[in-house]
């Protein structure tokens, strides 16, 4: 911005002081610019100008629509009603599990029945209802119907159990829980701890093996409810729509606030930025309790009139078969999905589909072109964005490997940036003036977004827990006195402004498409092991997406009962949060600098290293069986053929460390165990 201002001043000097004509001033300015070392910037300008203009127009379009909806006090429910009137008999949702198909009129009527029933039960605007079920058409109709009367829905992760499940219901102050019949057993485990005033409703096939005392079957009650439009609540575009739970750095999941504006903004930027069409058919196999499945996916149905095919759970072997069956033109992915598909044996259906676009995040650059070429997909629509962040990115021009970009010509138009952090503690590095130091192209840094309360596109809505909200805000980031949202993610930017994902900082790592909270897992493991000291962290495994969970456990007496531990762990944590590897140590550091200890054991990774000086060479991974050729086989998390990374041949051989490219053994090693994977 200062560079442009300076050259504008030079141009003014040429025109006013020297009285040069435009025909003379422009060439003179260009010569001055090149002489001042601006040739690189000129090339960047030429290369990125079309990209910046196109994206700028998308931002202006979405911003104009946002302000329009703010003035008119619209909500997602009101916008959907307009969509339903526009496409009444068009297919809105298809549930792959049963083949059940709903038109926009049917979805509208079902959501009206939900709204009218809960209103008749005394639920009013501002109340909260927890929704705990697997993905299906009714999932969308339930939260949408509740939104029509201003009731906010807490979208609970269907994998949660026991303490985490109880926590999510409690912190949202839910007055009722609507759960699928498939969640009956999970609800039975927490019902004794629920407040007696909480209403319980279950949905699904009748005659389950057991029913919760006091729980009502919701489906027949909805059938008797009125189908007319309910009276709209006194809510606007900036008011709460629902809550999505994210990994909590304080231990348990945090309820991120999603207002109507945020839902609209995230969905619309994807639609316009990647040039989607209302006549597209989207294949959504991502969970609807997350933003990717519910906002990026279902949002295209509710706001744009697109048909969305819902699959309860991703299946690599049936993916392309489904796409052919339902004539899908867009598929959703996370990085792991793309790798699973590539690991599948060739199928005829993988080239018989009509898919032209894959939209999602986390696709590795190393398989980007292979994914497009093998499956004949013309466009990969990669984006970056957390549920609650104010600095989403989009790779709108298909630059291989990047998750988005920021303009190098006018970087201040979209006030985000990369700032330097300490690689050990991940704390922000500041200059002498107390302001954060911006990263230059090629330098990794944490992505941050300036918070502007008056601008709905740059506002940070935070969490229900104010303390959690405060931890995600930093002061004096770009300038003195400002505030910015901390993503906790390390990215790197090239000279053209393209951003590339590097790593996730803080107390979370990504595994099986989910963010895992190390603090939550540590607390659970410690309770299972009678308050034993535990440190949990993510480790990289060759050929495997994300980081596998590993726990360092203090066990000086070698007394841990692995069978009992594994049994309790399966009940306490969802599959994605369970540690894949265990490292037993004589003690877990309790020094004033735990980061040094954490870094030391993370460097050891999954090597079956022994404790130096003990002569014990029995370090092993108990998931190992004859025929296992590498550690990656222990970490398989999806269908398909096993990848072929460099691997281990014997679990305790020193040569294995060299094959994995790991450093020499350092103090702190111990027994390496694994409870296996389902």
């Amino acid at each position: 911005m200062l560079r442009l201002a300076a050259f504008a001043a030079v141009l003014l000097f040429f025109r006013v002081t020297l009285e040069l004509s435009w025909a003379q001033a422009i060439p003179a300015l260009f010569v001055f610019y090149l002489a001042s070392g601006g040739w690189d910037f000129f090339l960047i300008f030429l290369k990125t100008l079309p990209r910046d203009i196109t994206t700028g127009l998308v931002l202006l379009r979405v911003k104009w629509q946002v302000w329009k909806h703010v003035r008119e006090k619209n909500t997602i429910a009101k916008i959907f009603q307009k969509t339903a009137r526009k496409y009444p008999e068009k297919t809105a949702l298809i549930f792959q599990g049963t083949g059940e198909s709903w038109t926009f009129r049917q979805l509208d009527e079902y959501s009206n029945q939900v709204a009218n029933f809960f209103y008749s039960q005394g639920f009013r605007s501002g109340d909260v209802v927890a929704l705990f079920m697997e993905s299906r058409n009714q999932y969308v109709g339930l939260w949408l119907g509740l939104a029509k009367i201003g009731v906010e829905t807490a979208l609970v992760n269907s994998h949660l159990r026991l303490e985490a499940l109880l926590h999510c219901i409690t912190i949202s102050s839910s007055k009722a829980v609507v759960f699928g019949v498939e969640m009956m057993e999970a609800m039975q485990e927490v019902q004794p701890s629920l407040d007696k005033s909480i209403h319980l409703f279950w949905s699904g096939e009748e005659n389950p093996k057991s029913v919760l005392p006091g729980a009502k079957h919701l489906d027949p009650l909805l059938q008797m409810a009125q189908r007319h439009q309910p009276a709209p609540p006194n809510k606007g575009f900036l008011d709460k729509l629902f809550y999505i739970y994210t990994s909590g750095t304080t231990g348990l999941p945090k309820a991120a606030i999603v207002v109507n504006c945020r839902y609209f903004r995230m969905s619309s930027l994807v639609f316009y930025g990647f040039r989607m069409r209302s006549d597209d058919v989207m294949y959504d196999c991502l969970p609807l309790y997350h933003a990717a499945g519910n906002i990026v996916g279902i949002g295209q149905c509710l706001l744009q009139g697109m048909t969305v095919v819902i699959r309860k759970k991703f299946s690599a072997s049936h993916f392309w078969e489904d796409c052919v069956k339902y004539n899908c033109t867009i598929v959703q992915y996370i990085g792991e999905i793309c790798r699973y598909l590539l690991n599948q044996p060739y199928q005829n259906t993988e080239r018989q589909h009509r898919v032209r676009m894959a939209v999602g995040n986390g696709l590795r650059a190393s398989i980007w072109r292979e994914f497009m070429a093998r499956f004949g997909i013309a466009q990969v629509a990669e984006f970056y964005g957390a549920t609650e962040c104010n600095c989403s990115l989009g790779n709108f021009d298909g630059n291989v490997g990047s998750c988005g970009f920021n303009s190098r010509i006018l970087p201040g138009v979209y006030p985000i940036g990369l700032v330097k952090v300490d690689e050990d503690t991940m704390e922000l590095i500041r200059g002498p003036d107390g302001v954060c130091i911006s990263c230059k192209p090629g330098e990794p840094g944490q992505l941050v977004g300036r918070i502007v309360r008056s601008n709905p596109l740059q506002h940070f809505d935070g969490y229900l827990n104010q303390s959690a909200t405060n931890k995600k805000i930093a002061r004096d980031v770009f300038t003195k006195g400002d505030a910015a949202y901390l993503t906790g993610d390390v990215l790197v930017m090239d000279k053209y402004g393209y951003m590339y994902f590097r790593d996730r900082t803080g107390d979370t790592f990504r595994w099986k498409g989910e963010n895992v909270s190390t603090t939550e897992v540590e607390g659970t493991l410690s309770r299972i092991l009678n308050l034993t000291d535990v440190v949990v962290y993510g480790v990289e495994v060759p050929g495997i997406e994300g980081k596998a969970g590993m726990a360092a456990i203090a066990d000086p007496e070698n007394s841990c009962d692995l069978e009992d531990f594994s049994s309790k762990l399966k009940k306490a944590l969802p599959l994605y949060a369970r540690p894949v590897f265990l490292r037993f140590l004589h003690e877990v550091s309790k020094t004033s600098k735990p980061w040094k200890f954490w870094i030391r054991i993370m460097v050891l990774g999954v090597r079956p290293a022994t404790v130096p000086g003990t002569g014990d060479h029995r370090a092993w991974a108990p998931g190992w069986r004859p025929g296992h050729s590498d550690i990656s086989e222990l970490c398989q998390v999806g269908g398909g053929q096993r990848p072929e990374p460099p691997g281990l041949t014997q679990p305790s051989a020193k040569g294995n460390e060299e094959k994995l490219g790991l450093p020499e053994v350092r103090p702190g090693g111990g027994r390496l165990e694994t409870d296996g994977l389902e």
Side-chain angles (χ1 to χ4, degrees), residues 616-644:
D616 182 4
H617 295 284
R618 295 173 297 160
W620 58 293
W624 211 276
R625 296 291 181 269
H628 278 178
S629 60
D630 56 64
I631 275 184
S632 67
E633 191 164 330
L634 297 177
C635 299
Q636 282 302 297
V637 293
Q641 298 176 334
R642 179 176 56 79
E644 299 295 338

Side-chain angles (χ1 to χ4, degrees), residues 165-284:
L165 172 58
L166 183 64
H167 167 80
C168 289
I169 296 173
T170 303
I171 64 167
S172 62
S173 302
S174 296
K175 292 189 175 182
V177 179
V178 177
F179 60 95
V181 66
E182 69 277 4
M183 301 299 165
M184 192 73 71
E185 183 178 345
M187 288 300 299
Q188 287 173 339
E189 294 173 340
V190 300
Q191 187 184 26
S193 302
L194 290 175
D195 192 290
K196 303 304 179 185
S197 63
I198 295 179
H199 301 272
L200 300 177
F201 301 95
W202 62 277
S203 174
E205 297 293 331
E206 291 194 52
N207 302 320
K209 295 180 180 179
S210 59
V211 178
L212 264 66
K216 299 178 181 179
H217 191 189
L218 181 62
D219 299 342
L221 297 175
L222 293 181
Q223 290 177 1
M224 295 184 292
Q226 297 294 319
R227 298 188 179 188
H228 62 76
Q229 293 286 350
N234 184 26
K235 276 195 169 186
F237 210 51
L238 302 180
D239 291 319
K240 296 175 185 176
L241 176 63
F242 53 53
Y243 307 105
I244 289 180
Y245 291 90
T246 64
S247 297
T249 55
T250 55
L252 292 165
K254 302 177 294 186
I257 299 170
V258 178
V259 299
N260 289 272
C261 177
R262 178 171 297 277
Y263 190 101
F264 179 89
R265 183 194 73 191
M266 291 178 67
S267 179
S268 297
L269 284 173
V270 167
F271 182 83
Y272 296 118
F274 293 119
R275 300 175 298 282
M276 295 179 179
R277 303 188 298 262
S278 295
D279 61 353
D280 277 319
V281 178
M282 179 175 286
Y283 184 68
D284 188 352

Side-chain angles (χ1 to χ4, degrees), residues 477-511:
V477 176
F478 296 98
T479 59
K480 277 289 187 180
D482 70 358
Y485 168 77
L486 302 174
T487 64
D489 289 328
V490 174
L491 282 73
V492 63
M493 181 181 71
D494 66 16
K495 67 178 183 178
Y496 298 111
Y498 290 108
M499 303 275 193
Y500 302 84
F501 192 86
R502 278 283 293 267
D503 200 1
R504 186 172 298 274
T505 65
D507 298 322
T508 62
F509 59 89
R510 195 162 181 84
W511 181 243

